[in-house]
Amino acid sequence: MLIGLADHIQFAVERLQKNLPIKNELLWETKHFYPDEYRIGALAVAFINEQMGVQLPEDEVGFIALKFVEKRAGPNFNEKATNMTQLIESALTLIRHDLLPDIDSSNLNYQRLIVHLRFFVDRLLDESHVQKGENSFDNVMSQHLSESLQERYTSSYQCAQRVINYFEKRTKQKTGVNEQVYLTMHLQRIVDSSI
């Protein structure tokens, strides 16, 4: 990681000096899906700017943050991260279209939704993911809660169902009723906080 990070920093400074910027197409996603790594990237860029007397653009914060994400995620990161990003972006598009056209990305409930989607998609993309059977009590309770949410928060429930159907189709993984419950609740919190 240190060698890769050092190489990246050297080339970033050289590109800046030659006025050859590279646009980071995943900057927004990195900032929102990996906030801890993004903060580390911001600290790193501030340190580089101070030490080298340069002014690296925010795009470099995202690039450096992804180096830390890669290290944490392992060797298959790039493909998995790309899939994860595409799935979450598509889910957010569905949510904006069906339910919340003007989502405030600074809203705490929105941040919780992003974290939930990130872990949800991560579980679906995990090759060792196996849908575990729920015990009958959990299954009955979740089913009752699901029915109650469907009746009380119809729009959020239907939107959650569309997102889940999309995820299942793209990942070829099945999810349980718990995912419907959790996603519906996250969506409804955003709806409630935007009123």
Side-chain angles (χ1 to χ4, degrees), residues 96-195:
R96 284 186 188 101
H97 179 268
D98 286 3
L99 193 63
L100 298 157
D102 299 316
I103 300 176
D104 176 9
S105 62
S106 66
N107 182 312
L108 179 61
N109 290 312
Y110 177 78
Q111 299 301 324
R112 288 177 178 154
L113 171 67
I114 294 294
V115 170
H116 175 77
L117 288 173
R118 193 171 103 199
F119 284 110
F120 182 14
V121 170
D122 189 49
R123 285 191 305 273
L124 291 174
L125 293 176
D126 185 356
E127 291 179 9
S128 64
H129 171 82
V130 176
Q131 182 65 36
K132 295 177 182 160
E134 300 163 341
N135 70 43
S136 59
F137 177 77
D138 287 346
N139 214 4
V140 168
M141 292 306 292
S142 294
Q143 191 61 44
H144 284 301
L145 185 53
S146 176
E147 290 166 6
S148 175
L149 291 172
Q150 182 177 12
E151 185 178 311
R152 187 165 181 185
Y153 305 116
T154 305
S155 296
S156 293
Y157 185 90
Q158 289 172 347
C159 183
Q161 188 59 57
R162 274 196 69 196
V163 169
I164 288 170
N165 289 343
Y166 172 75
F167 284 169
E168 287 181 343
K169 183 177 179 183
R170 285 286 309 275
T171 64
K172 297 180 177 39
Q173 296 279 7
K174 286 290 179 195
T175 61
V177 69
N178 284 337
E179 291 297 348
Q180 177 79 41
V181 168
Y182 294 134
L183 188 52
T184 299
M185 290 189 304
H186 279 292
L187 292 173
Q188 190 59 43
R189 282 186 190 120
I190 298 174
V191 168
D192 290 345
S193 65
S194 63
I195 295 175

